[in-house]
Amino acid sequence: MKKLFILLSLLFLAQTNRAQVNSLQLDSTELDVSILLDNLVVPWDMHWDPGGWVWFSEREGKISRFQIETGTLQMVHFIGDTYQSSDNSGLHALALHPDFPAVPYVYAHYTYSRWRSRFVRFTFDETNLLLKEPYIILDELEANTSHNGSRIVFTPDKTKLYLCLGDAFMSGRALELEEYAGKILRMNLDGSVPEDNPYPNSLVWTYGHRNPQGLVLAPNGILYSSEHGGGEDDELNIIEKGKNYGWPEVAGYCQWTEEAEYCAANEVILPLMTWSPTYAVSGMEYYDHEAIPEWRNSILQTSLKASDGSRMGQRLQQLKLSPDGREVVSVNDYFKQTFGRLRDVMALPDGRVLVLTSNKELNGNGDAVVKADDDKMIMLRNPDYHGPSTPVPQAEELILYPNPSNSGFSLKFKEGFTDIELYLRDLKGRLVWSKALFLNGSPVAPVNDKLSSGVYMLEVIFADGKKLRKKLIIK
């Protein structure tokens, strides 16, 4: 009875301390720590909408958005065929089109059976607050109860994206270029293969990955990925076109004889940093905002556990980078064993930082007690920072999407119009197509005409004589 009393007292004390965390002291900056949301179910990924919403996925298939300033929470979609296991299959990566909401596309990766996953794009209907018109970009991807990845990152020119996928517990396939398991893929936004990919007719950008769960593109153009190891050697990698990252022949650095021989023969890229025993490194973000000066030019990275199943690896890490971004010069740990498993981190445009917990995912959670109000969205904020508020980007007067297009396309305006005329000219100025549209006050106009491949200039003429022009590419 005495031992039971002591155990219950320790659990109560741990949970009490956990509830009382309301600040985080850095070198000279003290951050406020607050809980924005609780009672979530294994949230995985989150993205910022310039309209002030945080979009996030939950493993069971829910896609929701949350308005920080008003506290408004809206579920906008439930993917009904999401497959969940006792491990961590389900809905994973989530992303918004770089021009969202003007281009209202929402991308998601999820498992729909034990052995398969798909990558899909939805269209957000802002009037009815729902996602519709699911378009499958990639289907029948290798999957399993775990080791599915995944994260999504867009290229700066907004024409391509990266998707990282785990090896689906089939480690040998990570080195097979014919398979997508254990790869980082690069594709056009419709899922087609970019002409400058390293392997002809293949989406494979890099290979030899075990289970990458973090992916971020820094402003200097470096693409970073965090990757789960086995019992040892979680990795932080710089992703380079066409390169081999070694798994399963190599884990971490090429330190054993067999590994060294394989690395020399196959030009394996060595990690920037490793963790042994593993922390189960997960979501990551590049941070360089004046609101938290200690964290400038750093990668913020969440982690879930340690290799022995204990909670020792659960933390938020700041990985301070060298000026060129190719070395980690220092590491700071925060929230060790405080909020439990940490799955993702995101920086807001005004310098605030959000973190998601993943404690209802019992696999790898050891003997941890799941609190009744888990999981959570946590906010870190410097209350003394009073810099200029980040302006909300204004919608362009005219957006064409998809662009490039396979044939038809849609126009989106800042406001609704009644009558417009469209004129499509080739690069020599010759008129190749024209059309009059009657919008009835709608700001969106679909064009379903079959158009020939080429690069064109589209001219839009309004009833009052105003003209807008945009380049349009038909593949």
Side-chain angles (χ1 to χ4, degrees):
M1 180 63 71
K2 183 177 180 180
K3 290 182 179 179
L4 178 61
F5 175 77
I6 293 173
L7 176 60
L8 291 175
S9 299
L10 289 173
L11 289 175
F12 175 78
L13 179 60
Q15 294 194 20
T16 301
N17 288 340
R18 191 163 142 186
Q20 291 178 344
V21 174
N22 54 24
S23 66
L24 177 64
Q25 183 64 54
L26 307 183
D27 290 341
S28 59
T29 305
E30 184 173 7
L31 304 180
D32 283 347
V33 180
S34 57
I35 307 299
L36 297 181
L37 289 174
D38 54 22
N39 288 297
L40 304 178
V41 181
V42 193
W44 190 280
D45 203 350
M46 54 183 165
H47 283 269
W48 174 252
D49 166 351
W53 296 89
V54 177
W55 290 65
F56 63 95
S57 59
E58 293 176 80
R59 191 180 68 178
E60 60 188 341
K62 289 171 63 176
I63 297 176
S64 303
R65 65 176 192 165
F66 175 64
Q67 174 66 255
I68 296 177
E69 314 310 331
T70 65
T72 303
L73 176 64
Q74 298 170 343
M75 189 183 85
V76 297
H77 193 69
F78 182 78
I79 303 178
D81 62 341
T82 301
Y83 170 82
Q84 296 186 86
S85 67
S86 59
D87 204 334
N88 68 4
S89 56
L91 172 56
H92 298 319
L94 179 76
L96 307 177
H97 188 282
D99 287 325
F100 190 92
V103 179
Y105 291 154
V106 178
Y107 299 78
H109 173 244
Y110 70 99
T111 54
Y112 62 90
S113 75
R114 172 168 179 172
W115 308 113
R116 292 290 182 267
S117 71
R118 67 170 51 107
F119 183 41
V120 63
R121 184 194 75 201
F122 298 95
T123 299
F124 180 50
D125 181 343
E126 192 166 6
T127 301
N128 297 299
L129 298 180
L130 54 83
L131 298 183
K132 61 183 183 180
E133 302 171 0
Y135 170 75
I136 297 175
I137 299 175
L138 298 176
D139 206 4
E140 298 187 354
L141 296 167
E142 297 280 6
N144 211 313
T145 55
S146 186
H147 289 217
N148 298 311
S150 59
R151 303 286 172 182
I152 303 163
V153 168
F154 292 89
T155 57
D157 65 3
K158 308 176 187 179
T159 66
K160 301 172 184 67
L161 62 82
Y162 299 95
L163 171 67
C164 61
L165 298 173
D167 66 6
F169 279 128
M170 295 174 283
S171 59
R173 298 193 179 184
L175 293 175
E176 297 175 3
L177 291 177
E178 298 77 17
E179 303 286 344
Y180 286 161
K183 309 295 190 299
I184 293 178
L185 308 181
R186 179 176 178 265
M187 67 194 77
N188 297 317
L189 299 192
D190 62 358
S192 60
V193 178
E195 294 182 356
D196 58 344
N197 266 18
Y199 306 104
N201 302 314
S202 174
L203 299 179
V204 173
W205 187 250
T206 59
Y207 61 103
H209 300 285
R210 185 175 184 269
N211 189 18
Q213 289 195 5
L215 195 65
V216 67
L217 183 63
N220 61 5
I222 296 178
L223 183 64
Y224 299 93
S225 173
S226 61
E227 178 173 333
H228 285 202
E232 297 181 339
D233 294 312
D234 281 347
E235 296 180 0
L236 172 67
N237 286 302
I238 291 179
I239 300 303
E240 299 181 359
K241 176 180 179 178
K243 297 301 185 180
N244 178 357
Y245 287 77
W247 177 259
E249 298 296 330
V250 180
Y253 303 111
C254 301
Q255 53 189 338
W256 308 111
T257 301
E258 296 84 356
E259 290 182 332
E261 292 174 353
Y262 180 86
C263 289
N266 295 276
E267 299 182 353
V268 171
I269 300 298
L270 299 183
L272 200 60
M273 185 174 178
T274 66
W275 291 263
S276 294
T278 56
Y279 287 177
V281 292
S282 191
M284 61 198 307
E285 177 69 290
Y286 177 81
Y287 191 91
D288 193 31
H289 198 284
E290 61 185 2
I292 309 178
E294 293 92 333
W295 287 358
R296 300 206 69 169
N297 190 35
S298 295
I299 289 175
L300 302 179
Q301 179 170 266
T302 55
S303 58
L304 300 159
K305 65 177 182 66
S307 58
D308 61 359
S310 74
R311 297 178 296 256
M312 293 302 293
Q314 298 169 346
R315 64 194 65 193
L316 173 68
Q317 286 193 312
Q318 176 218 355
L319 311 177
K320 183 73 172 179
L321 297 172
S322 59
D324 65 359
R326 307 195 74 84
E327 294 181 35
V328 175
V329 297
S330 65
V331 178
N332 289 302
D333 295 329
Y334 308 100
F335 301 132
K336 290 189 290 186
Q337 307 172 62
T338 303
F339 291 108
R341 295 165 64 83
L342 304 183
R343 174 66 71 182
D344 195 25
V345 57
M346 178 178 70
L348 300 185
D350 62 5
R352 291 177 292 178
V353 173
L354 304 185
V355 177
L356 292 175
T357 75
S358 186
N359 291 308
K360 289 179 180 175
E361 181 184 32
L362 295 178
N363 177 63
N365 212 8
D367 59 352
V369 176
V370 177
K371 295 187 67 178
D373 58 355
D374 271 329
D375 281 309
K376 298 177 175 63
M377 179 185 291
I378 302 163
M379 182 172 73
L380 314 179
R381 180 182 69 92
N382 179 4
D384 296 325
Y385 174 71
H386 302 291
S389 59
T390 302
V392 176
Q394 297 299 309
E396 294 183 50
E397 287 194 84
L398 170 62
I399 290 178
L400 305 180
Y401 66 95
N403 188 16
S405 167
N406 288 322
S407 180
F409 60 96
S410 292
L411 303 89
K412 183 162 186 175
F413 304 98
K414 287 178 63 175
E415 55 185 285
F417 294 97
T418 303
D419 303 337
I420 60 173
E421 296 178 357
L422 306 179
Y423 296 92
L424 195 66
R425 302 182 185 276
D426 63 19
L427 295 182
K428 293 184 178 181
R430 295 173 296 194
L431 182 67
V432 298
W433 173 87
S434 64
K435 187 170 188 171
L437 291 180
F438 305 96
L439 305 185
N440 294 321
S442 172
V444 178
V447 175
N448 298 315
D449 297 41
K450 180 68 174 178
L451 300 172
S452 300
S453 299
V455 179
Y456 303 100
M457 183 62 67
L458 179 69
E459 182 178 66
V460 182
I461 302 179
F462 300 89
D464 62 0
K466 178 181 177 180
K467 298 180 181 180
L468 293 176
R469 293 182 178 88
K470 277 279 187 176
K471 183 169 75 172
L472 174 65
I473 300 173
I474 304 295
K475 293 190 294 185

